[in-house]
Amino acid sequence: VPLHVACCGISAPPLWMTRAFLHLHPKSASLPDGGGRLPLHLLAATSADLATLQVLVDVYPWGIAHRDNVGFTPLHLLLKNEDVSLTIEHLRILLGQTLAPFSPPTQRRRRYLQRRGEH
């Protein structure tokens, strides 16, 4: 799958390219390769680009818990990756602590329990 190949590079694929691959083949973020690794695993093991990690987690959030054939999650592979300076943002993304975009609080509708004849 092209997304898997793009995520294997020393440098991350351009964000527009990642989005284009996901637009053309939306399920590619959830497809494991022969080793059971998702694109999220491959990216965490190589460039660990924050923006691309976030896009992949947004598209397939269950990928953060997916284990490859060896039993590694993307977080395991990131922690083993000595070529990347680990930041709190990496951990936040791969632990699923993604902040939702700002949305105004919705007003809860008040619902009253009403029973006939017991007022």
Side-chain angles (χ1 to χ4, degrees), residues 4 31-42 45 66-70 72 77:
H4 288 72
L31 296 176
D33 64 6
R37 293 182 176 184
L38 302 174
L40 189 59
H41 288 83
L42 300 173
H66 180 87
R67 294 183 181 269
D68 65 10
N69 292 351
V70 180
F72 291 136
L77 296 173

Side-chain angles (χ1 to χ4, degrees), residues 32-106:
D33 64 6
R37 293 182 176 184
L38 302 174
L40 189 59
H41 288 83
L42 300 173
L43 190 69
T46 55
S47 68
D49 177 68
L50 288 170
T52 309
L53 283 172
Q54 186 66 64
V55 167
L56 293 175
V57 169
D58 288 346
V59 170
Y60 186 62
W62 301 274
I64 62 174
H66 180 87
R67 294 183 181 269
D68 65 10
N69 292 351
V70 180
F72 291 136
T73 65
L75 181 58
H76 290 128
L77 296 173
L78 175 68
L79 294 173
K80 290 178 64 152
N81 187 349
E82 295 177 358
D83 297 329
V84 173
S85 298
L86 185 65
T87 67
I88 194 74
E89 287 301 307
H90 286 104
L91 296 175
R92 184 185 62 77
I93 292 168
L94 291 180
L95 288 172
Q97 301 298 316
T98 304
L99 300 174
F102 175 76
S103 58
T106 57

Side-chain angles (χ1 to χ4, degrees), residues 6-7 25 40-41 70-71 107-108 118:
C7 290
H25 191 23
L40 189 59
H41 288 83
V70 180
Q107 292 182 353
R108 293 174 51 181
E118 295 183 16

